[in-house]
Amino acid sequence: MDEVFPQISRRPRRLRRNASVRALVQETRVTVDDFIYPLFVREGEGAGEPVPSMPGVERHTIEGLVAECRAAAAVGIKAVALFPVTLVELKDERGTEALNPDCLVLRAVKAVKAAVPDLVVITDVALDPYTTTGHDGVLNAAGSDVDNDATVEILAKMAVVQADAGVDWVAPSDMMDGRVGAIRSALDAAGHTHVAILAYSAKYASAFYGPFRDAVGSQQAAGKSYLDKKTYQLNPANPRESMVEAALDIEEGADVLMVKPAGAYLDILCQLRQLTDLPLAAYQVSGEYAQIHAAAEKGWLDYAATRDESLLAIKRAGASLILTYFAKEIAEEQA
Ligand code: PBG
């Protein structure tokens, strides 16, 4: 044999021989410490409502949300991101309800912090759950586009109201120019220097958000036409533009940068990893979650294997934090 193949001096397969060896040389691991668990909250009492396009995901009542957060913390989840389903009658063109200190999501924040004080609670800073248009900001006088500066003014106030309610991190997901700086100044001026900013720095105008928009009702607000956010969210064709956005967010004081969606944007994560030493987060969005469920339901993909590989790829590309709807079930399996 040696005479026949003397040239094969390096045999990398030696390090793949069995499970023990493979574990020793494994380069990337997804653990419960990586996860931020996104959760939906609605008004009312009792049980949650299932979200049809996101199997296993519910719109929780505050009571149900608290129970879910306790259960998540019990299996080691460190952070949750809360998204409200706002009653239609509370929506208006300016998203006024976002500034109500007693709004649904802030009642939820208080209940969760009271029940599970060590759980890091994160809220979104964007107006889409609150506007009749479903947009992340307020429209200009002509109604032709989202007005950047008018929106930033509201978002800065919104972040302060959220910090007043006790959130640990605020997460601007709106993609307005200058919002990270404005939010940082407003938080500091209000004495919330300890509240961190998780900036959605590279948030793409993606079709993968569809199920989320069903879950929070922002698509219904916009009516039948597909909600177009292309004047503020990034063009999926542009990797370099996300580096410009990230550089601005770093300069303006972001603590953690996020790429969204995750799976189809691993190149962006990887490039951002080279650009900054800040922690990086990635959001495995609703459409990514729904795809895996739908294919597994048809028997076309192995559910757990596909799920785990999708997360491993996100971690491998450079994310140290992963927002995923799979968080709790994986934590339960690892616990
Ligand atoms: C909006 C927001 C969106 C998501 C999180 N925050 C959707 C959008 O931009 O319309 C999507 C998350 C997901 O799809 O899971 N501020």
Side-chain angles (χ1 to χ4, degrees), residues 159-206:
V160 171
V161 175
Q162 293 178 347
D164 289 342
V167 301
D168 298 283
W169 294 7
V170 293
S173 69
D174 54 283
M175 291 301 283
M176 296 301 129
D177 295 337
R179 91 282 203 214
V180 170
I183 289 171
R184 185 70 270 160
S185 309
L187 287 173
D188 290 352
H192 296 300
T193 52
H194 58 285
V195 172
I197 299 177
L198 164 60
Y200 286 68
S201 300
K203 178 173 180 178
Y204 283 86
S206 172

Side-chain angles (χ1 to χ4, degrees), residues 124 128 136 173 203 212-213 229 233 260 285-286 325:
D124 233 44
D128 56 304
D136 291 23
S173 69
K203 178 173 180 178
F212 174 98
R213 293 177 184 176
K229 301 189 176 183
Q233 298 179 349
K260 176 184 176 185
V285 300
S286 55
Y325 301 98

